[in-house]
Every structure is written in C-alpha cells, then in structure tokens.
Amino acid sequence: MKSGSTFLLAARQCEIADLEELARTGELVGAIGRFVHALQRERGLSNGFLASQGSRFGLQREQQLAECMVAEARVRTFFEVLDTDSAHARNGARLFSRVAVVLHALEGLPALREQVGTRAIAAREATAAFSRLIAGLLAVVFEAADSASDPEVSRALVALFHFMQGKELAGQERAHGANLFASGTLAPAGQQQWLHLIEAQQGCFRVFADFSDPEVVRADEASRDRAVGAEVERLRRIGCAGRPGAVDSSLSTEWYQWATCRIDAMRSVEERLALHLRRLCETRIAQARRELRDRRALLEALAREAPCPGADGTAPLGPQLERSVLALVQEQSRRLQAMGDELDAARASLGERKLVERAKGLLMAHRSMTEDEAYKALRQMAMNQNRRIVDVAEAVLSLAEVLPAGR
Amino acid sequence: MKSGSTFLLAARQCEIADLEELARTGELVGAIGRFVHALQRERGLSNGFLASQGSRFGLQREQQLAECMVAEARVRTFFEVLDTDSAHARNGARLFSRVAVVLHALEGLPALREQVGTRAIAAREATAAFSRLIAGLLAVVFEAADSASDPEVSRALVALFHFMQGKELAGQERAHGANLFASGTLAPAGQQQWLHLIEAQQGCFRVFADFSDPEVVRADEASRDRAVGAEVERLRRIGCAGRPGAVDSSLSTEWYQWATCRIDAMRSVEERLALHLRRLCETRIAQARRELRDRRALLEALAREAPCPGADGTAPLGPQLERSVLALVQEQSRRLQAMGDELDAARASLGERKLVERAKGLLMAHRSMTEDEAYKALRQMAMNQNRRIVDVAEAVLSLAEVLPAGR
C-alpha cells in the first residue's frame, strides 16, 4: 500500500520531471531566438530588395537565406523531439497547437522566398508574411512561459519572452522607419504609428527588467553602445517628432543601419538570457535531485527507527517520529504554496497579452475581421484615444459584456 | 518528419488525455465526498459521546465507524491508482503533496478513535483532529479544481468544492451550536463565532450557485425541506441573535437533530453534483474523441488530394487545401484561447481561498503560529473588525509588504 512517504517522494519526482521538461523547452526557446533573429534580418533585406526594385540587398538576402535555413533546421529538430505520442506533455494541447501554426507557416516559406526573388510580391505583403511567422514563433515561447511550473524558471521565461517581443517590435520599427524615410514624406499617421511602436517596445522592456536577473539587466545596460543609442534617438526625433512634410529620403539607409546595430546588440543580450535560463534549469534540477535524495534517506531512517510493524505490514511511528514526518509533509505543502503564489505573480505579467488576444478574438468573431485587421483596429483605437493597446482591449471586452454580439 | 497536422492531432490527443485524467479525479472527488460525510457524522457523535461523559451516542458512534472504514477504503483505492510512478501526472507535485498530508492524518485515526472510545481525549481536541483530516481531504478536491484543464469540468469542480466546503462549515456550525446550547449560557464570543460560521457558509454556497449547472441548483432548491430550514433558522435566531445569558440546554439535542437533517439533505445534493461531474467528463471525452476522428479524416482527405509529394516526402498542398488546413489550425488556436480564458475565470473563484492560505502561511512563518492558531487569529481579527476573513487576509498580506518580517 502506498504511504504518505510514497506520495511525498512522488511529489518531488514530479517537480524534477517538470524541471527536466522545462530545460528541454528552454533549449527550444533558445533555438527559436536564433531563428527569429535570422528571419528578422531576412525580412529587412527582402523589404529593401523589393522596395528598391531589386537593385539593392540582392546578394545579402541570398546569403541570409543560408543562415535562416540552418536556424530553421535546428528549431525543427527540437519540434521533432517534442513528445507528441505520449499525450502527457505538460500544456501539450496549447503548445502543440502553437507549433502546428508555425509548421504551417514554414510550409509556405519557400514559396514566399520564390516570390520575393522574382519580385512577384509587394514589399508590404512580404513583410507581413514574415511578421506572421515570427509572431507564431513568439507564441510558442509565450506558451512555454505560461506553462512553466517553477517560479524562478517562469520568471526567466517571462523576461526572455518580453525581451524577444520587444526586439521584434524594434525590428518592426526598423522597417517602418526605413519605409517612412524612403517615402520622402513624413505623414502624421506614419509618425503616430512609429511612436506607438516605441511605446510598445518600452512596455516589453519594462517587464523584461522587472523579471530578469539583476545581473543580466546590468550586463545589458553596460554593453549598450551609447553612440548607437544616440543615433537611433536622433533619427527617431527627426522621423517621429519632426514637422510633417518632406524629409531627406537618404535618411532611410542611415536609419536602417543604426537600427540594425541596435537590434544586433539586443541579440547578444537575448543569448545571455537564454544561457541564464539553461543554467537556472540545471541548478534547479540538481537542487531538486539533491533534496529528493536527502528526503528519501530521512524517510528511510525514520522507518527503520519505527518501533514495530503493525499487523497490516505498515509501521506505525512513535509520536516523536510521527512529528518528524508531519514536519516534512507540512514543509512541503508550504513550499508548494509559496511556489504557487510566486508563479501566479510571474504569470500575471502575461495577462496583458492575453487581454489583447482576447479582444482580438472578439473582433475576429463578431466583426468578421482577420487577425491582422483586428490588431490594426485595436491599435488605431489606441492611437486615436491616446491610450495603451491593453487599455483599449479591456474597454472592448467590457463593452462586449453589456452589448449584444454582432452589429 | 512531423508536420503541422501531427501537432494538430497531438494537441487534441493531449486534450483527451487531460479529460480522462479529470474523469479519474472526478471519481476520487466523489469518494472523498462520501468519506468526508461519514467523518462529519463520526465527529459529531464523538463530540456528543465525550461531552456526555460517555453516557450517550456510544452505540451510534460504534456503528458509524463501519461506514467510515468502508468510505476510507474506497478513497485509499483511488489513491492507490494515482500514477505516482510516472512523474507525469498533471499537477502531480501539489496533488501528491496534499495526498501525503491526508495519508499521514489517516495513520493517526485509529489512535484517535481509541482515545475517544476510552474517553482519554477532550471533546474539543477530538473535534479539532477530525476537522484537520477533513480539511486535508477538501484540500485534495481544491487541487483537483485548481488544476483542471477543461473549463466546463473546472466549473463543475469549483462548484463541487465550494459546496463541500460549505457543507463542512455547516458541520462545524452543528458542533458549535450544540456545544453552545449545551453549556447552558449564550456567551457573546460564542454567538459571534456562530454568526461567522453562517456567513462563511453563505459565501461558499454563493460561489456554488454561480458555478454550478442551473439544473442542479434548481433541483437543490426544490429538494430542500422547508420545515427543516425553518427549524434551523428558529434555533439560529435563539442561539446567535438571542440575548446573551442563560439558555435552555435541552435545545442542544434539538439543534443537533435539525442541523443533521439539513446536512444529510446536502449530502444528496453533493451526490447529484458528483454525478453531474462524472457525466460531464464522459460527454466531453466522447465529444473530443469524435472531433479527433473527424479532424484526422479531414486531414487525411486533404493530404490525398494534395497535388504531388515534394522531394522530402512531404506533400505541399495547393492554395485551396492550404487554406483549409490553416482554417483548422486557426480554429484550434482560437478554441484553446477561449478555453484558457474561461479556465482563468473559473480559477479566479479559488483565489479567495489562496489569499487566506497565504496569510495563514505568513502568520505561521513570522509569528511562529500553528496552522490552527493562524486561522483563529485571522478569524478573530475578522470578527473584531466586522469584516470578511478574506479582506483581513488581504490586509495582513499588504501590511507584510511594507513591514519588516518578524516582530
């Protein structure tokens, strides 16, 4: 018959299994970071290639494809080892569903590249297709962060997810700024959208700073090239805050280069975050294994000291030993309780994104919009009302509760 | 190589595995309900036996033991089949830890009964020991509700948990009222605590009504015996709201009997809730299996119609078919998103209990109190300030954030 001790040890073993799965997820997230970075470059080069009618970035784009394919193969390797057979993967339903979206988007990638190469697609459309694929990859990271069962690892994943999301917004800003400068005219709508991309990035980096290891944040700050930051801010000032009207279109290339320097520097922070995550998993697994071993040894010692086995084969413990077991049981409960509380706190930071997703879903269902249209509608409302997207999303959701569905 | 379809189907299979595990948990919860009911009776009879110096309830108590043992054996059977080996049980760490607490308390049950039988323990102490065991069993149900991954099943579990918790408070009210009447004096502190037990019950039954199937709530209301309700209210009026001072101690037995009628009626509602939960799991499993079959057939049909397999053995789909797969993938994502939102809503109802647990943990750690003492301290603060326990818990937690630890 299973005793309290069996369950006490089994609970620990579950924690270890969870951590091991998290470590594998951490590797996958690292591979996704590399792939997203390669795709961001390919997106930028494809955009420049198409916008210049094929006169620029042709060779760089071809070279970038090789890097993308290596990174893609690595992500696919990790998808391959995800345990789709056992139906016991933690958060399997949601994670697998996100992976299905990514794999579907990857199937369309060769055709997309073909269209870019033959200039059979508009720059805007190609950029949107790359952005959708990247969003799908980031959604995999989001699920990983949302399903982590260890608070420290969860915090590291939340920090990494928000950093990756901020970096992706920086990539979108790079493309947006390059296009706006290249157009030769600063249109107010374009300027407003640019400001919006800056604000959204800042929101992501705030969460990153709140949830990451202080050392990583300090290293990030120390490694920043002030010259790059100053140039980016100068061009932002001209592009976003400058008077609407004609602008020197050669600033497009200048902006693109400085923005690229900034994004490349982010990539090395991202690598440091991924490394921190891997080390954290290793430390936590080693710690949990050690505790399991100590716990088992202690329980065995207690069982040996037990006065005499009862008629049913179990050994009733003396009052002293019983108190020891009770202390172990209570300590474990308290620890899990505290871990659960910390986890809830880490996950709460993911709530904003969930609100936006929910509002998007509502608009898609009730106004027959596509996902892109729904997001743009929310962003437009936010810009018009000078509010954050998450506040607009909340307003949309609370209105939906009082208004009937559909128009 | 695994395709998007593989992950799409694997995601569904995970949902089915989750539901099957939930169905098993549902059976366990049903068995716990029966055992808790039997223990509540044994607690009441033991209290009466001890309080009457062994002159009453002796035989009834002996008979009740048999029922308790049958119910305990059934719960143990379900514990036995919990998969402690795989370390892959969902929420294993927390659930197993709760089970360990229960098994530990069960080891002490024979000794407790022996002490009651020989009247070697005070009535109050025996009652507290039974209440701790029951609280441990309810904590297992709480974990089950907190870890359910299907929103409908989660709602049913939340409703059932709150009903069981309300019923347990009704059991405590029965004991408290019986003791207060038996003392022959209505002391103000005792009256206030009685009021508190009534309010806490009402809170539980409100959540039950919010989360359970409307038919079950209607059946519950229809089945209530108005005569019993009227008698309970009459005696509550005398006991709680009557002027402090001497009271007819024979009301103790009268109160005990009417309160027992009320609790026994609750037991049949509880059985209906457990039945509803089992049926719901069956329905959801059948539905998910049907959908998986349809989905698989559809994907196979799409693959057959695909124009030609690529060099890598995968079949690139034509634009028409690709849109069909995309629609499937998106529909699945949206569905999981909506399920996640509903789940969050159901779990939020468990937040109040978590707040109280957290405040208790804080008092235990920083004021070196036992769990009982911490709960009593919170309850006393709530009574003194005429506030709900959860509000006091929140105040304690927010104070802890600004004050240093310890005295």
Side-chain angles (χ1 to χ4, degrees):
Chain A
M1 205 171 59
K2 290 179 192 169
S3 67
S5 310
T6 315
F7 280 94
L8 208 56
L9 296 175
R12 278 287 180 168
Q13 241 138 4
C14 283
E15 281 184 67
I16 295 175
D18 281 354
L19 283 165
E20 285 168 344
E21 196 171 311
L22 271 179
R24 282 190 297 275
T25 309
E27 300 276 347
L28 167 63
V29 168
I32 287 177
R34 265 190 296 276
F35 186 31
V36 165
H37 187 69
L39 284 171
Q40 283 166 336
R41 290 187 84 107
E42 185 184 350
R43 176 177 60 186
L45 293 167
S46 302
N47 183 54
F49 176 74
L50 291 169
S52 66
Q53 270 77 46
S55 66
R56 303 178 58 200
F57 304 114
L59 188 61
Q60 281 161 276
R61 184 185 154 263
E62 292 286 337
Q63 287 164 345
Q64 184 60 24
L65 293 188
E67 193 185 318
C68 276
M69 282 169 189
V70 172
E72 177 182 337
R74 205 169 147 72
V75 168
R76 280 186 184 270
T77 311
F78 282 107
F79 283 169
E80 234 19 63
V81 299
L82 281 181
D83 195 358
T84 43
D85 292 332
S86 88
H88 269 298
R90 230 150 292 264
N91 196 23
R94 297 174 67 97
L95 184 67
F96 292 169
S97 196
R98 300 292 192 184
V99 171
V101 173
V102 168
L103 286 174
H104 185 266
L106 285 178
E107 273 174 34
L109 197 52
L112 173 65
R113 282 172 176 154
E114 174 77 25
Q115 286 179 302
V116 172
T118 58
R119 297 199 281 123
I121 189 173
R124 178 183 298 268
E125 222 181 305
T127 297
F130 279 111
S131 301
R132 271 197 301 275
L133 172 55
I134 292 170
L137 285 160
L138 290 177
V140 173
V141 180
F142 179 85
E143 284 313 329
D146 199 31
S147 67
S149 55
D150 180 88
E152 276 188 81
V153 178
S154 172
R155 288 178 65 87
L157 275 166
V158 164
L160 182 50
F161 169 75
H162 281 94
F163 193 87
M164 291 172 86
Q165 181 70 58
K167 177 166 171 280
E168 165 58 6
L169 289 164
Q172 289 175 15
E173 183 197 4
R174 172 172 66 180
H176 182 77
N179 289 340
L180 193 67
F181 279 132
S183 74
T185 315
L186 296 176
Q191 291 185 303
Q192 212 184 5
Q193 194 178 333
W194 192 338
L195 280 173
H196 202 83
L197 284 167
I198 296 174
E199 270 173 37
Q201 271 172 74
Q202 285 167 344
C204 285
F205 292 131
R206 254 196 309 276
V207 180
F208 150 70
D210 285 349
F211 281 91
S212 51
D213 189 67
E215 266 180 54
V216 177
V217 177
R218 268 196 298 278
D220 167 33
E221 276 161 14
S223 73
R224 271 191 220 151
D225 187 335
R226 277 161 206 279
V228 174
E231 290 299 327
V232 165
E233 284 304 332
R234 182 179 63 84
L235 290 162
R236 276 178 172 177
R237 187 165 40 77
I238 299 173
C240 297
R243 188 174 309 161
V247 69
D248 177 2
S249 67
S250 76
L251 289 176
S252 178
T253 314
E254 203 180 329
W255 160 256
Y256 189 86
Q257 282 163 350
W258 287 116
T260 300
C261 288
R262 177 170 175 251
I263 292 171
D264 287 347
M266 285 180 189
R267 173 69 196 132
S268 66
V269 179
E270 194 180 85
E271 271 174 351
R272 214 171 300 140
L273 283 171
L275 181 68
H276 172 73
L277 176 66
R278 272 202 300 280
R279 292 226 179 108
L280 183 61
C281 287
E282 283 163 19
T283 314
R284 297 283 296 114
I285 290 172
Q287 188 186 345
R289 285 212 183 109
R290 210 161 44 235
E291 284 168 2
L292 175 64
R293 211 167 44 228
D294 294 351
R295 184 72 29 116
R296 187 177 282 141
L298 183 56
L299 285 167
E300 277 165 7
L302 288 173
R304 266 198 306 279
E305 287 173 39
C308 55
D312 56 356
T314 63
L317 308 174
Q320 189 60 45
L321 300 176
E322 200 173 298
R323 266 197 291 281
S324 313
V325 176
L326 183 61
L328 280 186
V329 166
Q330 285 178 338
E331 179 257 307
Q332 167 107 328
S333 293
R334 265 201 297 281
R335 208 173 50 79
L336 286 173
Q337 172 95 36
M339 278 174 62
D341 293 346
E342 286 172 47
L343 256 186
D344 288 347
R347 275 189 204 146
S349 71
L350 303 171
E352 291 206 351
R353 183 187 153 106
K354 285 189 189 167
L355 273 181
V356 174
E357 291 291 310
R358 210 180 301 176
K360 258 171 37 184
L362 197 87
L363 293 174
M364 287 160 75
H366 291 185
R367 302 276 186 259
S368 320
M369 289 177 171
T370 66
E371 190 160 355
D372 277 0
E373 287 165 352
Y375 183 72
K376 280 186 186 149
L378 286 175
R379 197 181 56 194
Q380 196 56 49
M381 282 188 260
M383 291 197 291
N384 293 348
Q385 303 170 22
N386 199 19
R387 296 163 77 188
R388 294 185 317 148
I389 281 203
V390 57
D391 298 327
V392 170
E394 210 157 6
V396 164
L397 290 168
S398 58
L399 263 180
E401 276 173 23
V402 293
L403 292 178
R407 273 194 188 271
Chain B
M1 204 171 60
K2 287 180 193 169
S3 67
S5 310
T6 315
F7 280 94
L8 208 56
L9 296 175
R12 278 287 180 167
Q13 241 138 5
C14 283
E15 282 185 66
I16 294 175
D18 281 353
L19 284 166
E20 285 168 345
E21 196 170 311
L22 271 179
R24 283 190 295 274
T25 309
E27 301 276 345
L28 167 63
V29 167
I32 287 177
R34 263 190 298 276
F35 186 31
V36 165
H37 187 69
L39 284 170
Q40 283 166 336
R41 290 187 84 107
E42 185 184 350
R43 175 178 60 188
L45 293 166
S46 302
N47 183 54
F49 176 75
L50 292 169
S52 66
Q53 271 76 45
S55 66
R56 302 179 57 203
F57 302 113
L59 187 62
Q60 281 161 277
R61 183 185 153 264
E62 292 286 338
Q63 286 163 345
Q64 184 59 24
L65 293 187
E67 193 185 318
C68 276
M69 283 172 189
V70 171
E72 176 182 339
R74 202 167 152 72
V75 168
R76 280 186 184 270
T77 310
F78 282 107
F79 283 168
E80 230 25 60
V81 298
L82 281 181
D83 195 0
T84 43
D85 293 330
S86 86
H88 269 298
R90 231 150 291 263
N91 196 24
R94 299 175 66 96
L95 184 66
F96 292 169
S97 199
R98 302 292 193 183
V99 171
V101 172
V102 169
L103 286 175
H104 185 267
L106 285 178
E107 273 175 34
L109 196 52
L112 173 65
R113 283 174 176 151
E114 174 76 26
Q115 286 179 302
V116 173
T118 58
R119 296 197 282 126
I121 189 172
R124 178 182 299 266
E125 221 181 306
T127 297
F130 279 111
S131 300
R132 271 197 302 276
L133 172 56
I134 293 172
L137 286 160
L138 290 177
V140 173
V141 179
F142 179 84
E143 284 312 329
D146 200 31
S147 67
S149 55
D150 180 88
E152 276 188 82
V153 177
S154 173
R155 288 178 65 88
L157 275 166
V158 164
L160 182 50
F161 169 74
H162 281 94
F163 193 88
M164 290 170 87
Q165 181 69 59
K167 176 166 172 281
E168 165 59 5
L169 288 164
Q172 290 175 14
E173 183 196 4
R174 174 173 64 182
H176 181 76
N179 289 339
L180 194 66
F181 280 132
S183 75
T185 315
L186 296 177
Q191 291 185 302
Q192 212 184 4
Q193 194 178 331
W194 192 339
L195 279 174
H196 203 82
L197 285 167
I198 295 174
E199 270 172 39
Q201 272 173 73
Q202 285 167 344
C204 285
F205 291 131
R206 255 196 308 276
V207 180
F208 150 70
D210 285 349
F211 281 90
S212 52
D213 189 67
E215 266 179 53
V216 177
V217 178
R218 267 196 299 276
D220 168 32
E221 277 161 15
S223 73
R224 270 192 220 150
D225 187 334
R226 277 158 207 281
V228 174
E231 290 300 327
V232 166
E233 284 304 331
R234 182 179 63 84
L235 290 162
R236 276 179 172 175
R237 189 164 41 76
I238 298 172
C240 297
R243 188 176 307 165
V247 70
D248 176 3
S249 67
S250 77
L251 288 177
S252 178
T253 315
E254 200 178 333
W255 160 256
Y256 190 86
Q257 282 163 351
W258 288 116
T260 300
C261 288
R262 177 170 175 252
I263 292 171
D264 286 347
M266 285 181 189
R267 173 70 196 130
S268 66
V269 179
E270 194 179 84
E271 271 174 352
R272 214 171 300 141
L273 283 171
L275 182 67
H276 171 72
L277 176 65
R278 272 202 299 280
R279 292 226 178 109
L280 183 61
C281 287
E282 284 164 17
T283 313
R284 297 281 297 113
I285 291 172
Q287 188 186 345
R289 286 212 182 111
R290 211 161 42 235
E291 284 168 3
L292 174 64
R293 211 168 43 228
D294 295 351
R295 186 73 27 118
R296 187 177 281 141
L298 183 55
L299 285 168
E300 278 166 7
L302 289 172
R304 266 198 306 280
E305 287 172 39
C308 56
D312 56 354
T314 63
L317 308 175
Q320 189 59 46
L321 299 176
E322 202 173 297
R323 266 196 292 279
S324 312
V325 175
L326 183 63
L328 280 185
V329 166
Q330 286 178 339
E331 179 255 306
Q332 168 107 328
S333 291
R334 265 202 298 279
R335 207 172 50 79
L336 286 173
Q337 172 93 37
M339 278 172 61
D341 294 345
E342 286 172 47
L343 258 184
D344 288 347
R347 274 188 206 149
S349 71
L350 303 172
E352 290 205 350
R353 182 187 155 106
K354 286 188 188 169
L355 272 180
V356 174
E357 291 291 310
R358 211 179 301 175
K360 258 172 34 185
L362 197 88
L363 293 175
M364 288 160 75
H366 292 183
R367 302 274 185 261
S368 319
M369 290 177 169
T370 67
E371 190 162 356
D372 277 0
E373 287 166 351
Y375 183 73
K376 278 186 188 148
L378 286 175
R379 198 180 57 195
Q380 195 57 50
M381 282 186 258
M383 290 196 293
N384 293 349
Q385 304 170 20
N386 198 20
R387 294 164 76 187
R388 294 185 316 149
I389 281 203
V390 58
D391 297 327
V392 170
E394 210 157 6
V396 165
L397 290 168
S398 58
L399 261 181
E401 277 172 25
V402 294
L403 292 179
R407 275 196 187 269

